[in-house]
Amino acid sequence: MTTQDLAGTPVVWSEDCLRHEPDGEVWLGVWEPGTEVPERARVILAALTTAGAAITPARPHPDEALSAVHDPELIAHLRTIWEEWQAGPYVTEHGRRRVVPYVFPTEGLLAGLRMRSPTSTHGRLGRFCYDTMTLVGPGSWEAIRAAADAALTAADLVAGGERLAYALCRPPGHHAGPAAYGGSCYLNNAAIAAQALRTAGVGRVAVIDIDAHHGNGTQATFYDRADVWYGSAHVDPGAGWFPHYAGYADERGTGPGQGANLNLPLAPGTGDEGWLAAVAELCAAARGADAIVLSLGVDAAEADPESPLRVSADGYRRAGELIGDLGPVVAVQEGGYDLPTLGGLVAATLTGVAHASL
Ligand code: SP5
Ligand code: ZN
């Protein structure tokens, strides 16, 4: 992109987001290279810089902004687990170069027994991590914390009157729930931003999630609340796609949040027309919110290796226009894994948002 389409748009960024190097993921029992790599952030930053965006440093925020969404035990676990892992025999004796669990306390395993906190590091991991795809290593915590600070800084900018601010978060966040991490996500940057907007006095917040996967963590965070609406268009989890156990159309919220959750599962191969119709349906349902948090994953794209939705760059631009029409937008980076096209897809979406006719 050579035009200055994003002149003046704040892009919040921290170099610390490059420090997370999961070094792969264990899929179906086999360690593979993985797709959530630091280069993702570099190509997005390059494309947005070329498009004229204003690169803005992420500012540190207090832990309270994290614990407003997450269980303090999860935060403490993520902060300390790498050092604990290194202090044990895992790297030196067993050659396990990253933190990855092997036993998960499912409902079936506990069978009514109370949850324990095993003293052994390797026994305790499954309490917080729900898959084998979300590894922790040196620098992971610094990146996780920086990504949350980027989202919080973008929320500050919008609470202060900006129409659009984008947080280049890495690692992504929308699969992380109040007390659980997985799906390459550790803390939920979008949920943290949405909660920060509420704390800053924004009345009603809508989270619109266009990542190819359902944002089970964001849904779980706000499922029983009326003040933060959540809507997502994503590949049908029942058709074999992560997160498999959430993202179905009958999940509509509970208690005061009844009706404030909307899932639009889409068939593999859906393409621009069907995907944009779903995004338009989310926008119609979100209309009236005082601010939007956009969970901006671009892994629904044609060339993406992690989803079959086949959306074009022009589709992303048009989705951005629909969303930008609703009100002020805090955009938060989620997934997107095709390195050659990734930056252009994010730039196209933000260009759509920035040029929407309010
Ligand atoms: C933020 C986000 O987009 N998270 C996506 C997590 C889904 N990862 C599931 C990956 C499933 C296995 N991928 C195929 C690997 C084949 N080598
Ligand atoms: Zn995704």
Side-chain angles (χ1 to χ4, degrees):
M1 203 177 270
T2 51
T3 52
Q4 297 289 294
D5 282 340
L6 292 174
T9 296
V11 165
V12 185
W13 164 245
S14 165
E15 293 281 329
D16 278 350
C17 287
L18 299 170
R19 294 176 63 181
H20 172 52
E21 293 187 7
D23 192 23
E25 50 193 38
V26 179
W27 188 54
L28 306 182
V30 177
W31 197 307
E32 297 192 341
T35 49
E36 205 296 281
V37 293
E39 188 64 10
R40 295 179 57 247
R42 292 189 194 281
V43 298
I44 294 171
L45 187 67
L48 300 182
T49 302
T50 302
I55 310 303
T56 306
R59 285 191 302 271
H61 285 69
D63 277 356
E64 284 67 37
L66 312 182
S67 56
V69 163
H70 292 287
D71 187 331
E73 278 198 294
L74 171 66
I75 299 168
H77 175 85
L78 291 170
R79 195 193 301 274
T80 57
I81 193 61
W82 173 250
E83 278 178 36
E84 184 179 325
W85 187 259
Q86 267 200 312
Y90 308 108
V91 179
T92 49
E93 272 179 51
H94 302 299
R96 286 348 191 241
R97 60 185 190 268
R98 292 293 183 268
V99 181
V100 56
Y102 82 115
V103 173
F104 301 90
T106 61
E107 271 180 34
L109 171 56
L110 291 177
L113 298 174
R114 72 177 177 87
M115 178 66 82
R116 307 270 175 175
S117 187
T119 50
S120 68
T121 307
H122 59 287
R124 197 186 329 117
L125 298 172
R127 263 191 73 199
F128 299 104
C129 184
Y130 61 76
D131 65 25
T132 62
M133 313 283 297
T134 312
L135 281 51
V136 173
S140 291
W141 170 250
E142 288 73 16
I144 293 162
R145 194 64 177 78
D149 279 326
L152 285 162
T153 304
D156 291 342
L157 290 169
V158 166
E162 287 281 353
R163 247 198 80 223
L164 167 63
Y166 165 80
L168 208 183
C169 296
R170 178 180 179 275
H174 74 152
H175 296 305
Y181 73 96
S184 303
C185 300
Y186 303 82
L187 295 177
N188 193 318
N189 308 308
I192 289 168
Q195 179 59 46
L197 290 172
R198 289 286 298 118
T199 305
V202 175
R204 280 197 302 151
V205 175
V207 182
I208 297 181
D209 190 332
I210 63 169
D211 185 278
H213 305 97
H214 177 250
N216 56 294
T218 316
Q219 169 173 296
T221 303
F222 301 116
Y223 206 58
D224 61 357
R225 285 170 55 171
D227 58 328
V228 182
W229 182 92
Y230 177 76
S232 175
H234 49 268
V235 62
D236 184 358
W241 299 87
F242 192 91
H244 302 283
Y245 296 94
Y248 296 84
D250 61 2
E251 296 159 12
R252 297 304 319 270
T254 189
Q258 183 68 47
N261 195 89
L262 181 61
N263 288 330
L264 302 177
L266 301 170
T270 287
D272 276 4
E273 196 185 336
W275 185 77
L276 282 165
V279 173
E281 189 177 338
L282 295 178
C283 290
R287 191 165 284 284
D290 300 299
I292 305 296
V293 173
L294 172 61
S295 261
L296 175 49
V298 292
D299 44 6
E302 274 156 352
D304 200 279
E306 293 291 340
S307 109
L309 286 177
R310 306 281 171 262
V311 175
S312 72
D314 191 57
Y316 275 99
R317 185 188 54 76
R318 287 156 67 192
E321 286 175 0
L322 293 170
I323 293 158
D325 207 30
L326 296 173
V329 175
V330 179
V332 174
Q333 186 62 43
E334 302 286 0
Y337 305 98
D338 180 53
L339 295 173
T341 57
L342 187 49
L345 293 164
V346 174
T349 315
L350 294 177
T351 299
V353 176
H355 293 188
S357 48
L358 259 188

